[in-house]
Amino acid sequence: MRLTTSAALALRMISLLLRPHPGTRPSTVAEVVEWFGAMQAQDLSSGLWSLGARLPARTLLDVQAALERREALRTWPMRGTVHLVPARDARWMLELTGIRALPGAASRRATLGLDPTDADRAVEVLGGALAGGGRLTRAQCLAELNAAGIGTDGQRGYHLLWYASVRGVTCLAPNVGTEQTFALLDEWAPDPLRPERDEALAILTRRYVRSHGPVTAREFAGCSTRSVEGISVL
């Protein structure tokens, strides 16, 4: 049966949790983020708004408290963009999809004038500074790197913070006031799930289809091939 445009839009709004859902509707931050698998949140305020739009009974303070409870965290799991992801899924998502951004990192560092060893040394510096439950603001992280002799001027600092997170060492913790903070991923999400590759691909597929459906083969292929190799659409 071919759907009309209006019918497809109505069904997609239900899948996006923006209209009443006929089944059991996600009612917590953890459930909403798990429903989508990954929610774009490059801008934290927009990410909080996206959660609030799907949790009308929750206040901003409720959502912020849920993030402090680590119901979800932010990192760069795909397409070089910050997303909210389930805390226990962060590591396998980085290993499956986040690493696709790493091959282009060397050329980016060359453009920024970073020595090839700077990025790996920055990961070590940040890992040491955050060990033991530490949580540093973005400014404090950059200060640690500068103190170690790693320049962070221009876009260098952002690149190094991104690199440490894509490598699975750090993650974005909730803001302190208006300041972005970082923590060690192993300490912020100490009990990660470890699905095999095929299972991980199936999880991504299922979550994308259920949260965006109805989707066309072209839409799914466009999303999946930008994020991960190994998904094919017949």
Side-chain angles (χ1 to χ4, degrees):
M1 182 181 70
R2 187 176 181 84
L3 289 174
T4 65
T5 300
S6 59
L9 177 59
L11 289 171
R12 182 165 291 186
M13 292 294 281
I14 292 171
S15 296
L16 291 170
L17 303 179
L18 295 174
R19 287 188 182 176
H21 196 278
T24 302
R25 182 184 177 89
S27 59
T28 67
V29 167
E31 290 171 353
V32 170
V33 177
E34 193 272 339
W35 175 267
F36 284 91
M39 298 178 70
Q40 191 157 335
Q42 186 78 16
D43 175 73
L44 178 58
S45 296
S46 296
L48 295 174
W49 184 91
S50 294
L51 289 170
R54 293 163 173 87
L55 296 167
R58 309 285 179 173
T59 67
L60 174 60
L61 291 178
D62 291 333
V63 173
Q64 291 173 326
L67 295 180
E68 286 288 349
R69 291 194 300 270
R70 309 179 190 188
E71 290 189 18
L73 59 80
R74 289 197 306 152
T75 189
W76 285 264
M78 58 186 70
R79 301 193 295 277
T81 306
V82 178
H83 287 69
L84 280 160
V85 300
R88 296 187 69 199
D89 293 336
R91 182 160 297 284
W92 70 256
M93 292 182 73
L94 286 166
E95 292 172 354
L96 183 70
T97 61
I99 60 171
R100 291 203 70 197
L102 290 178
S107 60
R108 177 59 176 160
R109 286 194 289 275
T111 300
L112 293 172
L114 283 166
D115 186 272
T117 63
D118 287 340
D120 291 329
R121 199 154 61 87
V123 172
E124 293 178 4
V125 170
L126 292 172
L130 291 167
R135 183 166 158 184
L136 298 179
T137 66
R138 180 190 182 107
Q140 289 171 328
C141 287
L142 296 182
E144 292 284 342
L145 295 176
N146 285 319
I150 304 171
T152 63
D153 55 307
Q155 290 295 309
R156 295 181 183 188
Y158 180 87
H159 178 84
L160 295 172
L161 293 173
W162 165 85
Y163 182 72
S165 289
V166 175
R167 285 277 306 274
V169 175
T170 65
C171 65
L172 284 160
N175 282 15
V176 173
T178 60
E179 293 189 84
Q180 191 177 65
T181 71
F182 289 81
L184 287 185
L185 179 59
D186 280 345
E187 294 180 356
W188 199 257
D191 185 28
L193 295 174
R194 292 286 190 177
E196 296 293 331
R197 179 180 172 82
D198 286 349
E199 182 184 357
L201 290 171
I203 292 170
L204 281 183
T205 303
R206 182 173 67 252
R207 290 178 180 176
Y208 179 80
V209 172
R210 78 178 177 190
S211 62
H212 292 77
V215 296
T216 65
R218 177 175 294 182
E219 287 173 317
F220 179 61
C223 174
S224 63
T225 53
R226 289 198 307 272
S227 301
V228 60
E229 294 178 353
I231 298 178
S232 61
V233 178
L234 301 179

